[in-house]
Amino acid sequence: IVNKKVAIIGMGVSNIPLLDYFYKKNANVTIFDKRNIEDLDKNVIEKVSRYNMGMFLGENHLSNLKGFDIIFRSPSCRPDTKEIVEEVKRGAILTSEIEMLMELCPGKIIGITGSDGKTTTTSLIYEIIKKKGYNCYLGGNIGIPLFTKVDEMTKNDIVILELSSFQLMNMKISPDISVITNITPNHLDIHKSYEEYIDSKKNIFKYQSKDGILILNYDNNITREFEKEAKGKVIFFSSKTKLENGIIYDDGKIKSCENSIRRHILNTKNIYLKGVHNFENICAAIAATAPLVDIDTQVKVISEFKGVHHRLEYVRDVNGVKWYNDSASSSPTRTIAGINAFEEGLTLITGGYDKNLDYTPMAKPIVDKVKTLLLIGQTSEKIYNAVKQEMQKQNKTIEIYKCDSLQECIDIANETTKSGDIVLFSPGSASFDMFKNAYQRGDIFKELVNKIEE
């Protein structure tokens, strides 16, 4: 890197630490970003100016991507962008902040990906590893950009990374222990096809050695087949099949299985997390940490773990009505899991930015378990049409409201619920039509709910 010509594409959170690093290495750095200067963080602009780095902004920013030794792309920048492909053909090395972190990390890396459940699984793994006394780092899609911490890391440290399909695209290195929670259609507004999305997920284990460990969901047809391509040891988890070997959720209990001998680990009645999808996340976390941590430590952490913000997060009780924030559920499968975590009679607030996903699978759980449906955002019409068809099929009706704002949804939910009811905010869609991200969306929901007068 010293004295090399370096291009950094996209000044997102993950790439900002690169500025300090490359400045210290005396690299010749140029920044590329499709946003205009007024849309960039002022601290970034100040730092680029102070470090005397080049900068190309706006719609045609990549037209100047020529003659670089190394290109660092942000997760939102596709690696097959024409200008990048041409530079790589010419001889440039294409990488990313997260890939470079994995290359330089001297310790063990645990990576988690999947369409749903990865943040809960990642957070659980981190808490279990930390409780055992390891010096560990949490990063990737959550936590802080860990590239800033590389110089502090030792061979005894453990790095836990939540990895998205965008981060995994074009990746040429895999973690020591890799977890894939499940794979269902997602991000099809950005990926060219479902196949491309699946292939990007495979990179989490594709470059493992024979000493690598791969944790897979046995109940998911796609992840189950990955066993055939794995180079290292495969451990399955399941909530539907009594495996001969692996970790299972069965009859209210989490169990480990070895040569068909089952060992009870914990009773799900004694934990805070609810829903079969969360019990599957627990199975994955137990499998991933088993090589490093004893069962007693695992059970203690899982029993005390209250969940992740914006994932079936209890907000408050208003006149006997319990309100839950599930804003991080940005796909239909995750909202279905949220619905199924509760009994019948739900009031559901759903809808958001359209990622070109199929919403028909949401219809049956909604008609079966929801009494009042409040729709918002770009996907509201898709969800409405799917639910309408399912109501006709079942010869059943539920109350449906189309709303213009989250405030309107909350007002109607507050007016139409009674003591003993549950209101679940689970969009099943991304947030970008009305909000900066899913966390801002969830924070605003909680803020509005906390303003309801009793």
Side-chain angles (χ1 to χ4, degrees), residues 422-438:
I422 285 170
V423 179
L424 173 65
F425 175 46
S426 187
S429 316
S431 57
F432 311 121
D433 55 340
M434 301 171 81
F435 305 93
K436 184 180 172 184
N437 53 43

Side-chain angles (χ1 to χ4, degrees), residues 24 38 67 91 159 182 192 262 279 285 288 320 323 374 387 396 430:
K24 290 172 188 169
E38 56 269 19
V159 172
N182 52 44
K192 289 180 177 175
R262 313 211 186 291
F279 304 152
W323 294 72
L374 300 152
V387 170
K396 184 178 173 183

Side-chain angles (χ1 to χ4, degrees), residues 396-435:
K396 184 178 173 183
T397 58
I398 61 173
E399 285 285 322
I400 301 178
Y401 297 87
K402 291 181 182 177
C403 303
D404 294 323
S405 67
L406 195 50
Q407 180 68 69
E408 186 184 355
C409 291
I410 289 166
D411 288 343
I412 294 171
N414 188 39
E415 288 165 13
T416 56
T417 50
K418 61 182 190 304
S419 182
D421 286 351
I422 285 170
V423 179
L424 173 65
F425 175 46
S426 187
S429 316
S431 57
F432 311 121
D433 55 340
M434 301 171 81
F435 305 93

Side-chain angles (χ1 to χ4, degrees), residues 163-425:
L163 298 168
S164 70
S165 59
F166 308 130
Q167 289 166 319
L168 287 165
M169 277 181 86
N170 213 50
M171 188 89 83
K172 297 293 189 295
I173 185 170
S174 299
D176 303 284
I177 300 174
S178 298
V179 180
I180 307 180
T181 57
N182 52 44
I183 290 183
T184 57
N186 208 343
H187 300 299
L188 299 186
D189 55 328
I190 296 173
H191 284 288
K192 289 180 177 175
S193 65
Y194 190 27
E195 289 68 32
E196 181 188 87
Y197 175 67
I198 293 168
D199 285 341
S200 72
K201 294 291 193 186
K202 284 184 185 180
N203 286 339
I204 202 168
F205 69 87
K206 196 173 175 179
Y207 302 97
Q208 282 185 328
S209 69
K210 60 179 175 52
D211 298 320
I213 297 172
L214 175 60
I215 318 297
L216 294 173
N217 185 340
Y218 189 84
D219 304 331
N220 184 274
N221 293 335
I222 294 166
T223 56
R224 186 169 63 244
E225 290 297 307
F226 287 169
E227 181 188 25
K228 297 170 184 172
E229 299 176 53
K231 291 175 183 161
K233 181 182 180 183
V234 173
I235 302 170
F236 282 113
F237 66 91
S238 173
S239 65
K240 296 184 175 72
T241 306
K242 294 183 179 180
L243 303 172
E244 284 188 21
N245 295 286
I247 309 293
I248 64 169
Y249 166 68
D250 175 44
D251 192 27
K253 297 175 181 66
I254 308 282
K255 304 171 184 175
S256 66
C257 311
E258 197 168 343
N259 299 323
S260 296
I261 297 169
R262 313 211 186 291
R263 180 180 174 184
H264 170 90
I265 297 176
L266 61 86
N267 191 320
T268 54
K269 286 180 183 175
N270 302 327
I271 64 175
Y272 290 100
L273 291 180
K274 300 299 174 197
V276 173
H277 65 294
N278 272 326
F279 304 152
E280 291 171 351
N281 295 336
I282 290 168
C283 289
I286 288 171
T289 54
L292 301 161
V293 179
D294 58 278
I295 287 177
D296 289 344
T297 302
Q298 291 174 327
V299 171
K300 183 167 176 53
V301 172
I302 294 163
S303 301
E304 294 171 355
F305 189 75
K306 292 185 177 178
V308 177
H309 292 312
H310 310 296
R311 285 164 175 78
L312 288 183
E313 178 189 13
Y314 173 68
V315 181
R316 69 179 285 213
D317 183 307
V318 184
N319 300 319
V321 177
K322 289 184 168 61
W323 294 72
Y324 286 85
N325 165 36
D326 196 32
S327 178
S329 287
S330 59
S331 67
T333 50
R334 187 47 52 192
T335 289
I336 292 167
I339 293 167
N340 289 333
F342 298 98
E343 298 302 316
E344 292 178 13
L346 275 176
T347 291
L348 175 68
I349 302 171
T350 193
Y353 175 79
D354 195 351
K355 295 192 286 184
N356 294 333
L357 303 181
D358 179 15
Y359 285 86
T360 51
M362 275 174 61
K364 189 175 188 309
I366 287 173
V367 175
D368 287 347
K369 299 189 83 171
V370 172
K371 69 172 183 180
T372 306
L373 178 65
L374 300 152
L375 297 169
I376 187 175
Q378 289 179 0
T379 57
S380 58
E381 204 59 35
K382 276 188 175 181
I383 299 168
Y384 174 77
N385 290 334
V387 170
K388 192 177 171 186
Q389 282 189 334
E390 184 63 29
M391 287 193 299
Q392 289 170 349
K393 192 173 164 185
Q394 292 195 29
N395 194 24
K396 184 178 173 183
T397 58
I398 61 173
E399 285 285 322
I400 301 178
Y401 297 87
K402 291 181 182 177
C403 303
D404 294 323
S405 67
L406 195 50
Q407 180 68 69
E408 186 184 355
C409 291
I410 289 166
D411 288 343
I412 294 171
N414 188 39
E415 288 165 13
T416 56
T417 50
K418 61 182 190 304
S419 182
D421 286 351
I422 285 170
V423 179
L424 173 65
F425 175 46

